[in-house]
Amino acid sequence: MLVIENLHATVEGKEILKGVNLAVRAGEVHAIMGPNGSGKSTLAHVLAGNDAYEVTEGRVTFMGQDLLEMPPEERARLGLFMAFQYPVEIPGISNAYFLQAALNEIRKSHGQEELDAMEFQALLQDRMRLVAIDSSFAGRPVNEGFSGGEKKRNEILQMAILEPRLAVLDETDSGLDIDALRIVADGVNRLRSPDRAMIIVTHYQRLLNYIVPDFVHVLFEGMVVRSGGKELALELEAKGYDWVKGLGVESGSGLALAQS
Amino acid sequence: MSESVQSISKTQYLADVAQAAKSPGPKWLLELRKAAAVRLAELEFPNRRQEEWRFTNIAPIVNTSFRSMVERLAIDLRAADIEPFVFREEGWTELVFVNGFYQPSLSRIAAASTNVRCGDLTAAAGSVVEHLDRYGANGNIFTALNSAFLAGGAYVHIPAGQVMEHPIHLVFVSAGRSENTAAYPRTLVIAEPQSQAVLVESHVHLEGNVPYFNNSVTEVVVKENAHVHAYRIVQEGASSYHLSTTKVHQAAASVFKSFAVTLSGKIVRNELSVLLDGEGADCSLQGLYLTGGDQLVDNATAIEHAQPRCTSWIGYKGVLDGRSHGVFTGKIKVRRHAQKTDSKQLNNNLLLSDEAVINTKPLLEIFADDVKCTHGATVGRPPEEVIFYFKSRGISEAMAQGMLTCGFCDALLSQMELEPVRQRLDNVVFERYSPI
Ligand SMILES: Nc1ncnc2c1ncn2[C@@H]1O[C@H](COP(=O)(O)OP(=O)(O)OP(=O)(O)O)[C@@H](O)[C@H]1O
Ligand SMILES: [Mg+2]
């Protein structure tokens, strides 16, 4: 579904990604861990198409298409979704209006009929119940005045409505209370299916108890230096990132599984 | 210098004023015109060396020789012609003025149980008209011009203690105008103590592209404890000029709330001045201007705190597109005596094109020491990260801009309590900017 090869990216002239390799197939859940500043969010933003980040080398294919050639809105319409580490506030536009517009743009691009206000309301109410967001949030401006945890949950609500093929969740678990963590994990697990995939960026092994990943990758100084199964997260937790610092890039990290 | 060469436009005005003076009317009207004609002869048109006019180029108005409309045109407007401009809501009184002259056949006065009086200004009682030119008489040449040509207009008199249930809508329609004609809409509103009223003043047109000039004056007297909500909509022709002066006089504990919306007109300048002349008076001036093409829209607001413990709020928003030019001024004067003044102002502008320009400035003159005065202004476009958030959800940049522009306007319109007006303006905004 997604193949990242030798991806280099800079922000304001500084190289952050220094040759990332990663392959994700339909049905898989990948976790990406790594110390602060290692480039996890940069990778997520580059995938989503934020032009504040410049790709200097490498290629990314998504659903058989050249992802880097596509403007961000087309990536989203093709089924890519990033849950932001820091969701943006949009004054003056209600959550419901925003989401209806987004869903209908995506549906239109697939030749599907747009949902009218009634149909959308029904869907919205249903998904808000699933992610346990109070219905009053529908009328509130997107993320404006939301608490940190509410913003994260709102990202999951968006995901639950847009039903992406590939979801990249950037530290969606940070700042969530225990109940919210379970709700978010439930939301993610409900979306798991053989034709969907997820990349979950997290600092905490705890989330991975709820969302059990197929693979865990360690991003360090802009490269995937280790890949493994879910036990790699436990090993990291036990040994800390100092352990990673001493390691070189294990050959085939990130990509190894693509060949199988 | 008084010897300076008179502009051709002024020569024309003075010639027409001599003719206007001859048109019949009650004694007070003749005297008012005469006094104004004297001021008109003495006053000069403003120029850009004056602080208030620094950014506002009205040369096209000053240099055009407009013929003044001294009497009503014999045109036959039908109800259907003005249908788009009126509301026809249950209980509303709607008075229609064509080129400044009252048109009873198009007007509708609600069979109210109240003793509110309203109608043709030239037919108003002496106790009402004695307020004319009291609050704006020493103003600029444009108020003198309006008074010198006064031959029609509207008055609304709300008796003491009267709480009006329904609004009064004054509809000023420009229709049947030939090129380069000037009309003089005029409104006088008196809200007696403890009364409450909602007014709507709209300036609309049935002209295509005829260049015409409307020079409008409104005086509002808000007495002790009275509440006036005033909505003002300017929707003039694409080649037209609209200069307006609104003078508000507030007594103790009175409340004046205004929403001023400018939707069209080639050059529009709305001067709105409030004198808070009694303790504990409160005023709120809000506005929205939507510009495009090569329009010039200037909103000059001024509040004078003359007495202690008054509060004022100025909140204007603008959306500027094309090569249009916006000007906003928020002038606050706090007299020495006006302690405990609380005054805030905010002007937010959304620029939709690189060529649109906004000049925004607060002017504070504070002579009291125990006051709270804040001001702020923003100019710009939505931040990149906001646009990216939309795109990351499948929404194109153009659509994001449209949605954000609607949201920007809606934040102000949603504060309007008068539902039919809010609804109509919502539709205008939606049609103009909505991408959906
Ligand atoms: N817009 C920017 N301008 C300047 N530097 C940036 C910008 N965005 C990211 N960086 C830098 O790039 C590096 C990687 O940042 P990134 O946000 O990708 O890290 P991360 O792995 O997500 O970290 P964290 O775990 O703290 O979220 C950091 O050193 C950061 O300071
Ligand atoms: Mg990050």
Side-chain angles (χ1 to χ4, degrees), chain B residues 257-334:
Chain B
K257 264 175 97 164
S258 103
F259 279 101
V261 180
T262 301
L263 302 173
S264 56
K266 189 175 173 67
I267 296 180
V268 176
R269 185 177 197 269
N270 303 309
E271 189 180 315
L272 171 53
S273 312
V274 179
L275 177 62
L276 297 171
D277 204 13
E279 264 200 69
D282 174 39
C283 92
S284 155
L285 312 181
Q286 290 185 280
L288 182 67
Y289 41 99
L290 311 177
T291 69
D294 59 354
Q295 271 184 281
L296 164 61
V297 174
D298 177 353
N299 280 286
T301 59
I303 298 174
E304 182 169 344
H305 283 256
Q307 299 293 334
R309 276 175 284 279
C310 292
T311 49
S312 65
W313 156 240
I314 302 176
Y316 271 65
K317 285 183 145 190
V319 179
L320 301 101
D321 202 351
R323 283 167 292 120
S324 66
H325 179 189
V327 182
F328 174 80
T329 316
K331 184 174 172 181
I332 302 291
K333 182 172 178 179
V334 182

Side-chain angles (χ1 to χ4, degrees), chain A residues 40-41 85 170-171:
Chain A
K40 303 180 299 296
S41 295
Q85 183 176 2
D170 190 359
E171 292 197 31

Side-chain angles (χ1 to χ4, degrees), chain A residues 3-19:
Chain A
V3 180
I4 303 172
E5 291 166 277
N6 190 32
L7 184 64
H8 291 251
T10 60
V11 57
E12 296 184 353
K14 189 174 135 204
E15 186 166 56
I16 309 295
L17 300 185
K18 300 170 183 167

Side-chain angles (χ1 to χ4, degrees), chain A residues 95-113:
Chain A
N95 232 355
Y97 182 52
F98 178 75
L99 267 173
Q100 186 181 356
L103 180 63
N104 280 337
E105 283 307 287
I106 291 170
R107 291 179 65 94
K108 262 195 299 196
S109 75
H110 296 297
Q112 293 170 302
E113 273 203 34

Side-chain angles (χ1 to χ4, degrees), chain A residues 45 48-50 72-73 76-77 81-82 84 87-90 92-93 97-98 101-102 105-106 142-143 155 158 162, chain B residues 384-397 399-400 402-408 410-411 430 434-436:
Chain A
H45 276 269
N50 187 341
E73 61 271 30
R77 292 170 195 164
F81 177 90
M82 167 173 69
F84 285 61
V88 178
E89 301 193 0
I90 308 178
I93 294 179
Y97 182 52
F98 178 75
E105 283 307 287
I106 291 170
V142 180
N143 292 328
E155 296 288 288
Q158 296 184 14
L162 301 181
Chain B
E384 280 302 321
E385 71 245 38
V386 170
I387 298 291
F388 176 64
Y389 196 73
F390 279 86
K391 288 185 188 170
S392 77
R393 300 299 182 244
I395 299 170
S396 69
E397 172 147 7
M399 189 163 167
M403 289 171 71
L404 285 164
T405 306
C406 289
F408 178 84
D410 187 58
F430 192 80
S434 174
I436 297 171

Side-chain angles (χ1 to χ4, degrees), chain B residues 149-340:
Chain B
F149 284 102
L150 189 59
Y155 84 96
V156 176
H157 182 251
I158 308 121
Q162 184 73 62
V163 176
M164 291 183 63
E165 198 184 333
H166 298 292
I168 294 181
H169 181 198
L170 307 173
V171 193
F172 291 93
V173 190
S174 292
R177 302 279 282 265
S178 21
E179 245 177 61
N180 298 337
T181 50
Y184 303 96
R186 180 76 177 228
T187 301
L188 174 65
V189 177
I190 298 159
E192 297 288 354
Q194 334 287 343
S195 67
Q196 290 186 18
V198 179
L199 301 158
V200 186
E201 178 185 332
S202 39
H203 294 265
V204 297
H205 69 100
L206 283 169
E207 308 297 3
N209 241 341
V210 181
Y212 62 87
F213 174 29
N214 283 340
N215 175 30
S216 155
V217 172
T218 299
E219 290 159 295
V220 184
V221 184
V222 193
K223 297 200 177 165
E224 290 77 12
N225 270 305
H227 286 225
V228 173
H229 286 200
Y231 294 79
R232 191 165 191 282
I233 301 164
V234 176
Q235 198 165 14
E236 297 277 25
S239 304
S240 72
Y241 307 115
H242 179 101
L243 298 184
S244 74
T245 309
T246 300
K247 299 273 181 188
V248 181
H249 184 273
Q250 287 189 245
S254 65
V255 176
F256 178 75
K257 264 175 97 164
S258 103
F259 279 101
V261 180
T262 301
L263 302 173
S264 56
K266 189 175 173 67
I267 296 180
V268 176
R269 185 177 197 269
N270 303 309
E271 189 180 315
L272 171 53
S273 312
V274 179
L275 177 62
L276 297 171
D277 204 13
E279 264 200 69
D282 174 39
C283 92
S284 155
L285 312 181
Q286 290 185 280
L288 182 67
Y289 41 99
L290 311 177
T291 69
D294 59 354
Q295 271 184 281
L296 164 61
V297 174
D298 177 353
N299 280 286
T301 59
I303 298 174
E304 182 169 344
H305 283 256
Q307 299 293 334
R309 276 175 284 279
C310 292
T311 49
S312 65
W313 156 240
I314 302 176
Y316 271 65
K317 285 183 145 190
V319 179
L320 301 101
D321 202 351
R323 283 167 292 120
S324 66
H325 179 189
V327 182
F328 174 80
T329 316
K331 184 174 172 181
I332 302 291
K333 182 172 178 179
V334 182
R335 286 203 207 148
R336 195 184 313 277
H337 177 60
Q339 300 295 3
K340 306 278 182 206

